[in-house]
Amino acid sequence: METDMKSNINGIESNQPATHRIANACLEGCRKVLAQIQSLKESILAEFQPSVGSDEHLLRLALNEAEALARQTAFPYLFFPTLALEKAQSVRNWHARQENLRSHREPSNWQGTAPFNSVTR
């Protein structure tokens, strides 16, 4: 009975270096994925930053949300680019709508006629 325990313990000990190699490979893979995601975030920021102007913080929040959602999947490096681009485009569209609303709210120099009266005959 004691020899069986020794062989099991020795078997586990002999597998530890392989386990460490696997863990290190996984850790290195995670670092590469995170570096790819960070690189992609920076390129999307550079591309969309001029079009969102003062709302850059919203773009950063959208990219962070896309990263958080992608990390919840089994393959974050596959899902992040699609999520990030969709969210960046939605921020750009939102910014354009806000600019459009601001331009319509500002008083114009248009000198119109008297207000429309539907009862005129």
Side-chain angles (χ1 to χ4, degrees):
M1 188 68 123
E2 194 171 316
T3 56
D4 289 337
M5 284 293 262
K6 266 188 169 178
S7 63
N8 285 341
I9 291 172
N10 289 337
I12 292 171
E13 288 175 359
S14 66
N15 285 336
Q16 275 185 341
T19 307
H20 287 291
R21 284 194 303 270
I22 291 170
N24 287 337
C26 289
L27 186 59
E28 188 62 31
C30 289
R31 286 184 185 137
K32 286 180 183 178
V33 166
L34 293 177
Q36 287 173 343
I37 288 175
Q38 187 62 33
S39 172
L40 190 57
K41 274 174 69 173
E42 290 170 4
S43 66
I44 290 173
L45 273 171
E47 179 183 343
F48 284 87
Q49 196 172 19
S51 62
V52 297
S54 62
D55 294 321
E56 178 189 343
H57 64 284
L58 294 176
L59 180 61
R60 289 183 184 277
L61 284 173
L63 292 178
N64 288 341
E65 182 183 6
E67 182 180 3
L69 288 171
R71 284 189 182 188
Q72 292 176 6
T73 66
F75 304 102
Y77 54 90
L78 294 176
F79 290 103
F80 178 74
T82 306
L83 287 171
L85 285 174
E86 286 177 1
K87 291 195 173 287
Q89 288 169 349
S90 67
V91 169
R92 180 172 53 190
N93 293 341
W94 179 86
H95 179 74
R97 284 193 306 270
Q98 294 302 313
E99 287 296 317
N100 191 16
L101 287 173
R102 278 187 216 122
S103 69
H104 288 298
R105 283 189 207 134
E106 294 175 0
S108 63
N109 293 331
W110 181 73
Q111 298 294 326
T113 58
F116 177 75
N117 187 352
S118 62
V119 189
T120 57
R121 291 182 186 217

